[in-house]
Amino acid sequence: MNGRIKRQEQSNPKIPIIGKIKVGMKNERGLPTSLDYFRCESKYSSYFHKAYGDTPNKIEVCFFSDDWSDSCNERYECRDKDGRLAGKGDGKNWYLYDSNEDKYILCHDKEKVKKSGKWDIILTINFIIPKIPGVFGLFSFSTKGKKSSLKNIRDTFDKVLEMAGTVINVPFDLTVDKVVSQKPGSKFKFPVVNLIPNVSSESMELIHKYIESGKSIKKIGLINEQKIKLLE
């Protein structure tokens, strides 16, 4: 025996999510309002605010995995009137919750999927905040801003993954700014979140070559320009 139960499916240990980063909150009347800074919902929020103050509009993050499902997960979600997850999908495969089975079942009936409720595109990124020491876990940020934040974050993540061959230990800035809607006559303001890599395109190429040579970037720790020079 080796201290683990033998299972048909191998377990894949996950790093726990210990907090959520948000750009919104409820006001005094209980109505949702958007912010131009990040706030942390976590029992470790004091760690976050000690590192970044009360109203940061930029935080440094890094990813622990190159897998989209772990680090930058884009999906469709359908929720019931109580806010519970009624269904999920990727645009091709759709899963609806079955109370009898107590699990999400693949549904091939497109009409049933369509009538199950309103479907939203959601993007969630899970990341480490290097500036927060003394606690091991991930923070997450989710957005429905399919024409702004969602596209900005997804495209940047995918481009860095393509250019560097990895996003692991690559430092990024997560930033937020309030912008005015471009619709004629509208004065509506909303937060736009961007993911900005803190390494140059030349450095990404060096990282890619280093990985292609069969070496692991994980052992280097959080990448900076001085460490990148050692890869040459």
Side-chain angles (χ1 to χ4, degrees):
M1 297 197 303
N2 67 354
R4 287 292 180 274
I5 292 173
K6 304 300 181 185
R7 296 177 172 86
Q8 289 183 340
E9 295 182 1
Q10 292 292 328
S11 63
N12 182 21
K14 300 286 187 180
I15 302 176
I17 304 292
I18 61 172
K20 293 184 178 181
I21 304 301
K22 297 188 174 184
V23 289
M25 62 184 296
K26 290 185 178 180
N27 61 21
E28 298 82 4
R29 294 183 293 169
L31 300 174
T33 183
S34 61
L35 306 170
D36 59 356
Y37 60 88
F38 294 111
R39 54 183 289 269
C40 178
E41 285 189 358
S42 169
K43 60 183 177 182
Y44 300 102
S45 58
S46 60
Y47 290 70
F48 177 83
H49 294 300
K50 183 177 180 181
Y52 286 104
D54 293 330
T55 58
N57 59 15
K58 180 176 74 172
I59 59 177
E60 187 180 53
V61 305
C62 68
F63 297 99
F64 73 102
S65 170
D66 291 328
D67 192 319
W68 288 334
S69 61
D70 289 331
S71 296
C72 189
N73 187 353
E74 183 186 29
R75 69 231 177 254
Y76 285 96
E77 284 188 0
C78 175
R79 295 191 175 270
D80 64 17
K81 61 181 181 179
D82 297 315
R84 293 181 290 242
L85 186 63
K88 54 188 178 180
D90 60 6
K92 180 180 179 181
N93 299 308
W94 304 92
Y95 296 84
L96 300 180
Y97 179 72
D98 187 311
S99 57
N100 295 322
E101 296 283 342
D102 192 25
K103 63 181 181 180
Y104 295 92
I105 304 293
L106 180 62
C107 181
H108 298 287
D109 187 338
K110 292 183 179 180
E111 280 303 309
K112 185 176 180 181
V113 169
K114 187 176 180 180
K115 293 178 180 179
S116 59
K118 181 178 178 293
W119 290 85
D120 291 309
I121 299 176
I122 311 289
L123 181 80
T124 297
I125 54 173
N126 299 317
F127 48 83
I128 295 166
I129 302 180
K131 205 172 176 181
I132 298 181
V135 59
F136 180 66
L138 300 174
F139 292 84
S140 72
F141 171 79
S142 295
T143 179
K144 293 182 182 178
K146 61 182 178 181
K147 293 183 179 179
S148 53
S149 299
L150 191 155
K151 186 178 185 301
N152 295 343
I153 294 169
R154 181 200 62 211
D155 290 356
T156 298
F157 182 96
D158 290 354
K159 191 61 179 179
V160 172
L161 183 57
E162 176 191 341
M163 292 180 67
T166 185
V167 291
I168 297 172
N169 289 336
V170 175
F172 292 82
D173 281 339
L174 195 65
T175 69
V176 59
D177 293 288
K178 270 275 190 79
V179 301
V180 179
S181 171
Q182 294 301 302
K183 293 180 180 179
S186 174
K187 296 182 179 180
F188 177 68
K189 289 185 177 182
F190 59 94
V192 172
V193 177
N194 281 292
L195 185 67
I196 303 168
N198 279 336
V199 292
S200 65
S201 58
E202 293 81 5
S203 294
M204 290 185 211
E205 290 177 9
L206 284 174
I207 294 169
H208 206 157
K209 289 178 181 178
Y210 185 82
I211 294 171
E212 285 185 330
S213 70
K215 298 173 184 176
S216 174
I217 205 76
K218 293 180 181 180
K219 298 178 181 179
I220 294 177
L222 187 64
I223 295 168
N224 55 40
E225 292 298 330
Q226 285 143 340
K227 288 182 180 180
I228 289 171
K229 289 179 181 177
L230 298 176
L231 304 181
E232 297 184 76

